[in-house]
Amino acid sequence: MYHSKKNLEPIPEQQTSVWMCTSDDCTCWMRENYSFEKLPTCPICQSKMVKETKMLPPLNWAYNNR
């Protein structure tokens, strides 16, 4: 059986603004630009969320690199 490893290029990441859940027991987060509320509550545990940043790939990267 033939197996090949493709040389995949690394997916670029960028600083992205996100909402993070404040509960210690919850790891929920969401991108800020996909939130419909100015101050969202966590959809998992209903706790408050705070604005932070994460290194994430841009959502249009996979579409542009087909």
Side-chain angles (χ1 to χ4, degrees):
M1 180 178 261
Y2 177 75
H3 295 281
S4 71
K5 289 187 177 182
K6 292 184 179 179
N7 291 332
L8 299 175
E9 65 180 83
I11 298 174
E13 293 186 337
Q14 63 186 26
Q15 283 283 3
T16 306
S17 185
V18 297
W19 289 104
M20 301 284 288
C21 182
T22 57
S23 172
D24 292 333
D25 299 328
C26 184
T27 59
C28 184
W29 62 270
M30 67 177 123
R31 291 177 187 256
E32 181 185 19
N33 56 347
Y34 282 86
S35 172
F36 297 117
E37 301 173 26
K38 289 188 178 189
L39 294 172
T41 56
C42 177
I44 307 296
C45 69
Q46 310 309 314
S47 296
K48 290 182 178 181
M49 298 187 90
V50 293
K51 200 181 287 190
E52 293 185 17
T53 59
K54 272 185 115 147
M55 289 298 290
L56 298 171
L59 291 179
N60 63 353
W61 183 84
Y63 178 77
N64 291 334
N65 291 306
R66 286 195 233 180

Short mmCIF file of all heavy atoms in Angstrom, two decimals:
data_model
loop_
_atom_site.label_atom_id
_atom_site.label_comp_id
_atom_site.label_asym_id
_atom_site.label_seq_id
_atom_site.Cartn_x
_atom_site.Cartn_y
_atom_site.Cartn_z
N MET A 1 0.84 -1.18 0.00
CA MET A 1 0.00 0.00 0.00
C MET A 1 0.89 1.24 0.00
O MET A 1 1.91 1.28 0.68
CB MET A 1 -0.91 -0.04 1.22
CG MET A 1 -1.83 1.13 1.32
SD MET A 1 -2.91 1.00 2.74
CE MET A 1 -4.36 0.41 1.92
N TYR A 2 0.53 2.24 -0.75
CA TYR A 2 1.32 3.45 -0.91
C TYR A 2 0.77 4.55 0.00
O TYR A 2 -0.42 4.84 -0.02
CB TYR A 2 1.30 3.89 -2.36
CG TYR A 2 2.04 5.17 -2.61
CD1 TYR A 2 3.42 5.20 -2.62
CD2 TYR A 2 1.36 6.35 -2.82
CE1 TYR A 2 4.11 6.36 -2.84
CE2 TYR A 2 2.03 7.53 -3.05
CZ TYR A 2 3.42 7.52 -3.06
OH TYR A 2 4.09 8.69 -3.27
N HIS A 3 1.64 5.16 0.77
CA HIS A 3 1.27 6.30 1.62
C HIS A 3 2.21 7.44 1.30
O HIS A 3 3.41 7.25 1.23
CB HIS A 3 1.41 5.96 3.10
CG HIS A 3 0.47 4.91 3.57
ND1 HIS A 3 -0.85 5.16 3.84
CD2 HIS A 3 0.65 3.58 3.77
CE1 HIS A 3 -1.43 4.05 4.22
NE2 HIS A 3 -0.54 3.06 4.19
N SER A 4 1.66 8.58 1.10
CA SER A 4 2.51 9.75 0.86
C SER A 4 2.15 10.85 1.85
O SER A 4 1.00 11.01 2.23
CB SER A 4 2.35 10.27 -0.56
OG SER A 4 1.09 10.87 -0.73
N LYS A 5 3.14 11.56 2.25
CA LYS A 5 2.92 12.72 3.10
C LYS A 5 2.99 13.95 2.22
O LYS A 5 4.02 14.22 1.61
CB LYS A 5 3.96 12.81 4.19
CG LYS A 5 3.82 11.77 5.25
CD LYS A 5 4.80 12.05 6.37
CE LYS A 5 4.62 11.06 7.47
NZ LYS A 5 5.52 11.33 8.58
N LYS A 6 1.91 14.65 2.15
CA LYS A 6 1.92 15.89 1.38
C LYS A 6 2.63 16.96 2.19
O LYS A 6 2.49 17.04 3.40
CB LYS A 6 0.50 16.36 1.09
CG LYS A 6 -0.25 15.46 0.15
CD LYS A 6 -1.61 16.05 -0.15
CE LYS A 6 -2.37 15.19 -1.11
NZ LYS A 6 -3.70 15.71 -1.40
N ASN A 7 3.39 17.75 1.51
CA ASN A 7 4.03 18.89 2.16
C ASN A 7 3.02 20.03 2.21
O ASN A 7 2.91 20.80 1.27
CB ASN A 7 5.29 19.32 1.42
CG ASN A 7 6.38 18.29 1.55
OD1 ASN A 7 6.42 17.57 2.54
ND2 ASN A 7 7.26 18.23 0.57
N LEU A 8 2.28 20.09 3.32
CA LEU A 8 1.28 21.12 3.46
C LEU A 8 1.92 22.40 3.99
O LEU A 8 2.73 22.36 4.91
CB LEU A 8 0.18 20.67 4.42
CG LEU A 8 -0.59 19.42 4.00
CD1 LEU A 8 -1.56 19.02 5.10
CD2 LEU A 8 -1.33 19.66 2.70
N GLU A 9 1.53 23.50 3.41
CA GLU A 9 2.04 24.76 3.91
C GLU A 9 1.32 25.11 5.20
O GLU A 9 0.15 24.76 5.39
CB GLU A 9 1.86 25.87 2.87
CG GLU A 9 0.41 26.21 2.57
CD GLU A 9 0.29 27.31 1.54
OE1 GLU A 9 0.37 26.98 0.35
OE2 GLU A 9 0.12 28.47 1.94
N PRO A 10 1.99 25.75 6.12
CA PRO A 10 1.35 26.10 7.40
C PRO A 10 0.23 27.12 7.17
O PRO A 10 0.33 28.00 6.31
CB PRO A 10 2.48 26.70 8.23
CG PRO A 10 3.52 27.08 7.25
CD PRO A 10 3.36 26.19 6.06
N ILE A 11 -0.80 26.98 7.94
CA ILE A 11 -1.93 27.91 7.85
C ILE A 11 -1.55 29.19 8.58
O ILE A 11 -1.18 29.14 9.76
CB ILE A 11 -3.20 27.29 8.46
CG1 ILE A 11 -3.58 26.05 7.69
CG2 ILE A 11 -4.34 28.31 8.48
CD1 ILE A 11 -4.73 25.27 8.29
N PRO A 12 -1.61 30.33 7.91
CA PRO A 12 -1.26 31.59 8.58
C PRO A 12 -2.30 31.95 9.65
O PRO A 12 -3.48 31.62 9.51
CB PRO A 12 -1.27 32.62 7.44
CG PRO A 12 -2.18 32.04 6.43
CD PRO A 12 -2.04 30.55 6.54
N GLU A 13 -1.83 32.59 10.69
CA GLU A 13 -2.73 33.03 11.76
C GLU A 13 -2.59 34.53 11.94
O GLU A 13 -1.56 35.12 11.61
CB GLU A 13 -2.40 32.30 13.06
CG GLU A 13 -2.70 30.83 12.99
CD GLU A 13 -2.50 30.14 14.33
OE1 GLU A 13 -1.76 30.66 15.19
OE2 GLU A 13 -3.09 29.06 14.50
N GLN A 14 -3.64 35.13 12.50
CA GLN A 14 -3.62 36.56 12.76
C GLN A 14 -4.31 36.84 14.09
O GLN A 14 -5.13 36.04 14.54
CB GLN A 14 -4.31 37.34 11.64
CG GLN A 14 -5.78 37.01 11.48
CD GLN A 14 -6.38 37.68 10.26
OE1 GLN A 14 -5.69 37.98 9.31
NE2 GLN A 14 -7.68 37.89 10.29
N GLN A 15 -3.97 37.97 14.70
CA GLN A 15 -4.64 38.36 15.94
C GLN A 15 -6.10 38.63 15.63
O GLN A 15 -6.43 39.42 14.75
CB GLN A 15 -4.01 39.63 16.52
CG GLN A 15 -2.72 39.43 17.21
CD GLN A 15 -2.86 38.83 18.60
OE1 GLN A 15 -3.94 38.50 19.06
NE2 GLN A 15 -1.74 38.69 19.26
N THR A 16 -6.99 37.95 16.35
CA THR A 16 -8.42 38.06 16.11
C THR A 16 -9.12 38.40 17.42
O THR A 16 -8.85 37.77 18.45
CB THR A 16 -8.98 36.72 15.57
OG1 THR A 16 -8.23 36.35 14.42
CG2 THR A 16 -10.44 36.86 15.19
N SER A 17 -10.01 39.35 17.39
CA SER A 17 -10.78 39.73 18.56
C SER A 17 -11.87 38.69 18.82
O SER A 17 -12.62 38.33 17.91
CB SER A 17 -11.39 41.11 18.34
OG SER A 17 -12.04 41.54 19.51
N VAL A 18 -11.92 38.19 20.06
CA VAL A 18 -12.88 37.15 20.42
C VAL A 18 -13.55 37.49 21.75
O VAL A 18 -13.05 38.32 22.53
CB VAL A 18 -12.21 35.76 20.54
CG1 VAL A 18 -11.64 35.31 19.22
CG2 VAL A 18 -11.16 35.73 21.63
N TRP A 19 -14.68 36.84 22.00
CA TRP A 19 -15.33 36.88 23.29
C TRP A 19 -15.00 35.58 24.02
O TRP A 19 -15.18 34.50 23.46
CB TRP A 19 -16.85 37.00 23.15
CG TRP A 19 -17.31 38.33 22.66
CD1 TRP A 19 -17.73 38.64 21.41
CD2 TRP A 19 -17.40 39.52 23.43
NE1 TRP A 19 -18.07 39.96 21.35
CE2 TRP A 19 -17.89 40.53 22.57
CE3 TRP A 19 -17.13 39.85 24.76
CZ2 TRP A 19 -18.10 41.83 23.01
CZ3 TRP A 19 -17.34 41.15 25.17
CH2 TRP A 19 -17.82 42.13 24.30
N MET A 20 -14.51 35.66 25.26
CA MET A 20 -14.14 34.49 26.06
C MET A 20 -15.06 34.42 27.28
O MET A 20 -15.35 35.43 27.91
CB MET A 20 -12.70 34.60 26.55
CG MET A 20 -11.66 34.72 25.48
SD MET A 20 -11.30 33.20 24.63
CE MET A 20 -10.42 32.32 25.88
N CYS A 21 -15.49 33.21 27.60
CA CYS A 21 -16.34 33.00 28.76
C CYS A 21 -15.54 33.25 30.04
O CYS A 21 -14.36 32.88 30.12
CB CYS A 21 -16.89 31.57 28.75
SG CYS A 21 -18.00 31.24 30.13
N THR A 22 -16.17 33.85 31.04
CA THR A 22 -15.49 34.16 32.30
C THR A 22 -15.55 33.02 33.30
O THR A 22 -14.84 33.06 34.30
CB THR A 22 -16.09 35.42 32.95
OG1 THR A 22 -17.49 35.22 33.14
CG2 THR A 22 -15.85 36.65 32.10
N SER A 23 -16.35 32.01 33.06
CA SER A 23 -16.46 30.88 33.98
C SER A 23 -15.19 30.02 33.91
O SER A 23 -14.70 29.71 32.82
CB SER A 23 -17.68 30.04 33.63
OG SER A 23 -17.69 28.85 34.39
N ASP A 24 -14.69 29.62 35.07
CA ASP A 24 -13.48 28.78 35.12
C ASP A 24 -13.75 27.38 34.58
O ASP A 24 -12.82 26.70 34.13
CB ASP A 24 -12.96 28.68 36.55
CG ASP A 24 -12.42 30.01 37.05
OD1 ASP A 24 -11.98 30.83 36.22
OD2 ASP A 24 -12.44 30.21 38.28
N ASP A 25 -14.99 26.93 34.63
CA ASP A 25 -15.35 25.58 34.19
C ASP A 25 -15.69 25.51 32.71
O ASP A 25 -15.88 24.42 32.18
CB ASP A 25 -16.54 25.07 34.99
CG ASP A 25 -16.23 24.99 36.48
OD1 ASP A 25 -15.06 24.75 36.83
OD2 ASP A 25 -17.16 25.18 37.29
N CYS A 26 -15.75 26.62 32.04
CA CYS A 26 -16.19 26.66 30.63
C CYS A 26 -15.04 27.16 29.75
O CYS A 26 -14.33 28.09 30.12
CB CYS A 26 -17.41 27.57 30.50
SG CYS A 26 -18.11 27.62 28.85
N THR A 27 -14.88 26.58 28.58
CA THR A 27 -13.83 27.00 27.66
C THR A 27 -14.39 27.63 26.39
O THR A 27 -13.70 27.75 25.39
CB THR A 27 -12.94 25.81 27.27
OG1 THR A 27 -13.77 24.83 26.66
CG2 THR A 27 -12.23 25.22 28.47
N CYS A 28 -15.62 28.06 26.44
CA CYS A 28 -16.30 28.61 25.27
C CYS A 28 -15.70 29.96 24.86
O CYS A 28 -15.33 30.77 25.69
CB CYS A 28 -17.79 28.77 25.57
SG CYS A 28 -18.76 29.32 24.18
N TRP A 29 -15.60 30.18 23.54
CA TRP A 29 -15.20 31.47 22.99
C TRP A 29 -15.84 31.60 21.61
O TRP A 29 -16.25 30.61 21.02
CB TRP A 29 -13.68 31.61 22.92
CG TRP A 29 -13.02 30.60 22.04
CD1 TRP A 29 -12.56 29.38 22.40
CD2 TRP A 29 -12.77 30.73 20.63
NE1 TRP A 29 -12.03 28.74 21.33
CE2 TRP A 29 -12.14 29.53 20.22
CE3 TRP A 29 -13.01 31.71 19.68
CZ2 TRP A 29 -11.76 29.31 18.91
CZ3 TRP A 29 -12.62 31.48 18.37
CH2 TRP A 29 -12.00 30.31 18.00
N MET A 30 -15.94 32.81 21.12
CA MET A 30 -16.46 33.05 19.77
C MET A 30 -15.81 34.29 19.20
O MET A 30 -15.40 35.18 19.92
CB MET A 30 -17.98 33.18 19.79
CG MET A 30 -18.54 34.39 20.48
SD MET A 30 -20.31 34.47 20.36
CE MET A 30 -20.75 34.53 22.08
N ARG A 31 -15.72 34.31 17.88
CA ARG A 31 -15.15 35.49 17.21
C ARG A 31 -16.08 36.67 17.42
O ARG A 31 -17.30 36.54 17.37
CB ARG A 31 -15.02 35.22 15.71
CG ARG A 31 -13.95 34.21 15.39
CD ARG A 31 -13.92 33.95 13.89
NE ARG A 31 -13.02 32.87 13.56
CZ ARG A 31 -11.81 33.04 13.02
NH1 ARG A 31 -11.39 34.24 12.73
NH2 ARG A 31 -11.05 32.01 12.76
N GLU A 32 -15.48 37.82 17.65
CA GLU A 32 -16.27 39.02 17.93
C GLU A 32 -17.18 39.39 16.76
O GLU A 32 -18.34 39.75 16.95
CB GLU A 32 -15.37 40.20 18.27
CG GLU A 32 -16.14 41.46 18.57
CD GLU A 32 -15.26 42.66 18.78
OE1 GLU A 32 -14.09 42.64 18.35
OE2 GLU A 32 -15.76 43.63 19.37
N ASN A 33 -16.68 39.26 15.54
CA ASN A 33 -17.48 39.68 14.39
C ASN A 33 -18.61 38.69 14.06
O ASN A 33 -19.39 38.94 13.16
CB ASN A 33 -16.59 39.93 13.17
CG ASN A 33 -15.76 38.75 12.80
OD1 ASN A 33 -15.63 37.79 13.56
ND2 ASN A 33 -15.15 38.80 11.63
N TYR A 34 -18.71 37.58 14.80
CA TYR A 34 -19.83 36.66 14.63
C TYR A 34 -20.80 36.70 15.80
O TYR A 34 -21.66 35.84 15.94
CB TYR A 34 -19.33 35.23 14.41
CG TYR A 34 -18.83 35.04 13.01
CD1 TYR A 34 -17.53 35.37 12.65
CD2 TYR A 34 -19.68 34.59 12.02
CE1 TYR A 34 -17.09 35.23 11.36
CE2 TYR A 34 -19.24 34.45 10.71
CZ TYR A 34 -17.94 34.78 10.40
OH TYR A 34 -17.50 34.65 9.11
N SER A 35 -20.65 37.70 16.64
CA SER A 35 -21.55 37.90 17.77
C SER A 35 -22.62 38.92 17.39
O SER A 35 -22.32 39.94 16.77
CB SER A 35 -20.77 38.42 18.98
OG SER A 35 -21.64 38.78 19.99
N PHE A 36 -23.86 38.64 17.76
CA PHE A 36 -24.96 39.55 17.43
C PHE A 36 -25.22 40.56 18.54
O PHE A 36 -25.98 41.49 18.36
CB PHE A 36 -26.24 38.76 17.16
CG PHE A 36 -26.12 37.84 15.97
CD1 PHE A 36 -26.22 36.47 16.11
CD2 PHE A 36 -25.89 38.36 14.70
CE1 PHE A 36 -26.11 35.63 15.01
CE2 PHE A 36 -25.77 37.53 13.60
CZ PHE A 36 -25.88 36.16 13.76
N GLU A 37 -24.62 40.37 19.70
CA GLU A 37 -24.86 41.25 20.83
C GLU A 37 -23.62 42.06 21.15
O GLU A 37 -22.49 41.63 20.89
CB GLU A 37 -25.23 40.41 22.06
CG GLU A 37 -26.46 39.56 21.85
CD GLU A 37 -26.70 38.62 23.03
OE1 GLU A 37 -26.26 38.94 24.14
OE2 GLU A 37 -27.32 37.57 22.81
N LYS A 38 -23.82 43.23 21.75
CA LYS A 38 -22.68 44.06 22.13
C LYS A 38 -21.96 43.47 23.34
O LYS A 38 -20.75 43.58 23.46
CB LYS A 38 -23.11 45.48 22.42
CG LYS A 38 -23.51 46.24 21.18
CD LYS A 38 -23.75 47.68 21.45
CE LYS A 38 -24.10 48.36 20.14
NZ LYS A 38 -24.15 49.80 20.26
N LEU A 39 -22.71 42.87 24.27
CA LEU A 39 -22.15 42.19 25.44
C LEU A 39 -22.79 40.80 25.53
O LEU A 39 -23.78 40.62 26.23
CB LEU A 39 -22.42 42.98 26.72
CG LEU A 39 -21.72 44.33 26.82
CD1 LEU A 39 -22.22 45.10 28.02
CD2 LEU A 39 -20.22 44.13 26.90
N PRO A 40 -22.26 39.82 24.82
CA PRO A 40 -22.91 38.51 24.79
C PRO A 40 -22.74 37.73 26.09
O PRO A 40 -21.83 37.99 26.88
CB PRO A 40 -22.19 37.79 23.65
CG PRO A 40 -20.85 38.43 23.59
CD PRO A 40 -21.06 39.85 24.00
N THR A 41 -23.64 36.80 26.30
CA THR A 41 -23.51 35.82 27.38
C THR A 41 -23.09 34.50 26.75
O THR A 41 -23.37 34.25 25.58
CB THR A 41 -24.82 35.64 28.16
OG1 THR A 41 -25.84 35.28 27.25
CG2 THR A 41 -25.21 36.91 28.89
N CYS A 42 -22.45 33.69 27.52
CA CYS A 42 -21.95 32.41 27.01
C CYS A 42 -23.11 31.52 26.58
O CYS A 42 -24.04 31.30 27.36
CB CYS A 42 -21.13 31.72 28.10
SG CYS A 42 -20.54 30.10 27.61
N PRO A 43 -23.08 31.00 25.36
CA PRO A 43 -24.17 30.14 24.90
C PRO A 43 -24.16 28.76 25.59
O PRO A 43 -25.16 28.05 25.55
CB PRO A 43 -23.91 29.99 23.40
CG PRO A 43 -22.48 30.31 23.22
CD PRO A 43 -22.09 31.25 24.32
N ILE A 44 -23.06 28.41 26.24
CA ILE A 44 -22.96 27.12 26.91
C ILE A 44 -23.41 27.19 28.37
O ILE A 44 -24.26 26.42 28.80
CB ILE A 44 -21.49 26.59 26.86
CG1 ILE A 44 -20.96 26.57 25.44
CG2 ILE A 44 -21.38 25.23 27.54
CD1 ILE A 44 -21.68 25.63 24.50
N CYS A 45 -22.84 28.13 29.12
CA CYS A 45 -23.12 28.18 30.57
C CYS A 45 -23.85 29.44 31.03
O CYS A 45 -24.11 29.61 32.22
CB CYS A 45 -21.83 28.01 31.35
SG CYS A 45 -20.72 29.41 31.22
N GLN A 46 -24.12 30.37 30.12
CA GLN A 46 -24.83 31.63 30.41
C GLN A 46 -24.05 32.60 31.29
O GLN A 46 -24.62 33.51 31.87
CB GLN A 46 -26.20 31.36 31.06
CG GLN A 46 -27.07 30.33 30.34
CD GLN A 46 -27.21 30.62 28.85
OE1 GLN A 46 -27.46 31.74 28.46
NE2 GLN A 46 -27.04 29.59 28.05
N SER A 47 -22.74 32.46 31.40
CA SER A 47 -21.91 33.39 32.16
C SER A 47 -21.59 34.61 31.30
O SER A 47 -21.81 34.62 30.09
CB SER A 47 -20.59 32.73 32.57
OG SER A 47 -20.83 31.66 33.44
N LYS A 48 -21.02 35.63 31.93
CA LYS A 48 -20.58 36.81 31.18
C LYS A 48 -19.41 36.44 30.30
O LYS A 48 -18.68 35.49 30.57
CB LYS A 48 -20.15 37.91 32.14
CG LYS A 48 -21.27 38.55 32.90
CD LYS A 48 -20.73 39.66 33.76
CE LYS A 48 -21.85 40.34 34.51
NZ LYS A 48 -21.35 41.46 35.33
N MET A 49 -19.21 37.22 29.26
CA MET A 49 -18.06 37.04 28.37
C MET A 49 -17.27 38.33 28.33
O MET A 49 -17.84 39.41 28.47
CB MET A 49 -18.53 36.62 26.99
CG MET A 49 -19.26 35.29 26.99
SD MET A 49 -19.63 34.68 25.36
CE MET A 49 -18.14 33.72 25.05
N VAL A 50 -15.96 38.20 28.14
CA VAL A 50 -15.08 39.36 28.06
C VAL A 50 -14.34 39.34 26.73
O VAL A 50 -14.09 38.28 26.16
CB VAL A 50 -14.08 39.42 29.23
CG1 VAL A 50 -14.80 39.66 30.53
CG2 VAL A 50 -13.24 38.17 29.29
N LYS A 51 -13.97 40.52 26.27
CA LYS A 51 -13.27 40.64 24.99
C LYS A 51 -11.78 40.38 25.19
O LYS A 51 -11.15 40.94 26.08
CB LYS A 51 -13.48 42.04 24.43
CG LYS A 51 -13.23 42.14 22.94
CD LYS A 51 -13.43 43.54 22.43
CE LYS A 51 -14.89 43.89 22.39
NZ LYS A 51 -15.15 45.15 21.70
N GLU A 52 -11.23 39.49 24.34
CA GLU A 52 -9.80 39.18 24.35
C GLU A 52 -9.36 38.97 22.91
O GLU A 52 -10.14 39.17 21.99
CB GLU A 52 -9.53 37.92 25.18
CG GLU A 52 -9.81 38.10 26.66
CD GLU A 52 -9.41 36.88 27.48
OE1 GLU A 52 -8.64 36.04 26.97
OE2 GLU A 52 -9.85 36.78 28.62
N THR A 53 -8.11 38.58 22.73
CA THR A 53 -7.62 38.27 21.38
C THR A 53 -7.02 36.87 21.37
O THR A 53 -6.52 36.39 22.39
CB THR A 53 -6.56 39.28 20.90
OG1 THR A 53 -5.48 39.26 21.81
CG2 THR A 53 -7.15 40.67 20.77
N LYS A 54 -7.08 36.23 20.20
CA LYS A 54 -6.51 34.91 19.99
C LYS A 54 -5.83 34.89 18.64
O LYS A 54 -6.24 35.60 17.73
CB LYS A 54 -7.63 33.85 19.93
CG LYS A 54 -8.05 33.27 21.22
CD LYS A 54 -9.07 32.17 20.97
CE LYS A 54 -8.46 30.92 21.41
NZ LYS A 54 -9.13 29.87 21.95
N MET A 55 -4.83 34.05 18.50
CA MET A 55 -4.20 33.83 17.20
C MET A 55 -5.02 32.77 16.48
O MET A 55 -5.07 31.61 16.91
CB MET A 55 -2.76 33.37 17.37
CG MET A 55 -1.82 34.45 17.87
SD MET A 55 -1.70 35.84 16.75
CE MET A 55 -0.81 35.12 15.40
N LEU A 56 -5.71 33.17 15.39
CA LEU A 56 -6.58 32.27 14.65
C LEU A 56 -6.34 32.43 13.15
O LEU A 56 -5.98 33.51 12.69
CB LEU A 56 -8.06 32.59 14.94
CG LEU A 56 -8.53 32.43 16.37
CD1 LEU A 56 -9.93 33.00 16.52
CD2 LEU A 56 -8.51 30.98 16.78
N PRO A 57 -6.59 31.38 12.38
CA PRO A 57 -6.49 31.54 10.93
C PRO A 57 -7.66 32.38 10.41
O PRO A 57 -8.76 32.32 10.96
CB PRO A 57 -6.59 30.11 10.39
CG PRO A 57 -7.12 29.29 11.49
CD PRO A 57 -6.87 30.01 12.77
N PRO A 58 -7.43 33.20 9.42
CA PRO A 58 -8.54 33.97 8.84
C PRO A 58 -9.54 33.01 8.22
O PRO A 58 -9.17 31.98 7.64
CB PRO A 58 -7.88 34.85 7.79
CG PRO A 58 -6.51 34.34 7.62
CD PRO A 58 -6.16 33.48 8.76
N LEU A 59 -10.81 33.31 8.33
CA LEU A 59 -11.85 32.41 7.84
C LEU A 59 -11.85 32.28 6.33
O LEU A 59 -12.26 31.26 5.80
CB LEU A 59 -13.22 32.85 8.33
CG LEU A 59 -13.44 32.69 9.82
CD1 LEU A 59 -14.82 33.20 10.20
CD2 LEU A 59 -13.28 31.25 10.25
N ASN A 60 -11.40 33.26 5.60
CA ASN A 60 -11.40 33.18 4.14
C ASN A 60 -10.13 32.53 3.59
O ASN A 60 -10.00 32.36 2.40
CB ASN A 60 -11.58 34.57 3.54
CG ASN A 60 -10.46 35.50 3.88
OD1 ASN A 60 -9.59 35.19 4.68
ND2 ASN A 60 -10.49 36.68 3.31
N TRP A 61 -9.18 32.11 4.44
CA TRP A 61 -7.92 31.54 3.97
C TRP A 61 -8.15 30.24 3.20
O TRP A 61 -7.61 30.06 2.10
CB TRP A 61 -6.98 31.28 5.14
CG TRP A 61 -5.67 30.75 4.70
CD1 TRP A 61 -4.61 31.50 4.27
CD2 TRP A 61 -5.27 29.40 4.57
NE1 TRP A 61 -3.57 30.69 3.92
CE2 TRP A 61 -3.96 29.39 4.08
CE3 TRP A 61 -5.89 28.19 4.81
CZ2 TRP A 61 -3.25 28.22 3.84
CZ3 TRP A 61 -5.20 27.02 4.57
CH2 TRP A 61 -3.90 27.04 4.09
N ALA A 62 -8.94 29.33 3.72
CA ALA A 62 -9.17 28.04 3.06
C ALA A 62 -9.88 28.24 1.72
O ALA A 62 -9.59 27.57 0.72
CB ALA A 62 -9.98 27.11 3.95
N TYR A 63 -10.79 29.17 1.66
CA TYR A 63 -11.53 29.44 0.42
C TYR A 63 -10.59 29.99 -0.65
O TYR A 63 -10.66 29.59 -1.81
CB TYR A 63 -12.66 30.44 0.70
CG TYR A 63 -13.44 30.79 -0.54
CD1 TYR A 63 -14.38 29.92 -1.07
CD2 TYR A 63 -13.22 32.00 -1.20
CE1 TYR A 63 -15.09 30.24 -2.20
CE2 TYR A 63 -13.93 32.34 -2.34
CZ TYR A 63 -14.87 31.45 -2.84
OH TYR A 63 -15.57 31.75 -3.97
N ASN A 64 -9.69 30.87 -0.26
CA ASN A 64 -8.78 31.50 -1.23
C ASN A 64 -7.65 30.57 -1.65
O ASN A 64 -6.99 30.84 -2.66
CB ASN A 64 -8.19 32.78 -0.64
CG ASN A 64 -9.24 33.86 -0.50
OD1 ASN A 64 -10.22 33.87 -1.21
ND2 ASN A 64 -9.04 34.76 0.45
N ASN A 65 -7.38 29.50 -0.92
CA ASN A 65 -6.24 28.64 -1.22
C ASN A 65 -6.65 27.25 -1.67
O ASN A 65 -5.99 26.27 -1.38
CB ASN A 65 -5.33 28.54 0.02
CG ASN A 65 -4.65 29.84 0.28
OD1 ASN A 65 -4.01 30.38 -0.59
ND2 ASN A 65 -4.82 30.37 1.47
N ARG A 66 -7.72 27.14 -2.39
CA ARG A 66 -8.14 25.83 -2.93
C ARG A 66 -7.35 25.49 -4.14
O ARG A 66 -6.94 26.24 -4.93
CB ARG A 66 -9.61 25.85 -3.32
CG ARG A 66 -10.51 25.81 -2.12
CD ARG A 66 -11.87 25.45 -2.60
NE ARG A 66 -12.79 26.45 -2.10
CZ ARG A 66 -14.06 26.42 -2.34
NH1 ARG A 66 -14.59 25.51 -3.08
NH2 ARG A 66 -14.85 27.31 -1.85
#
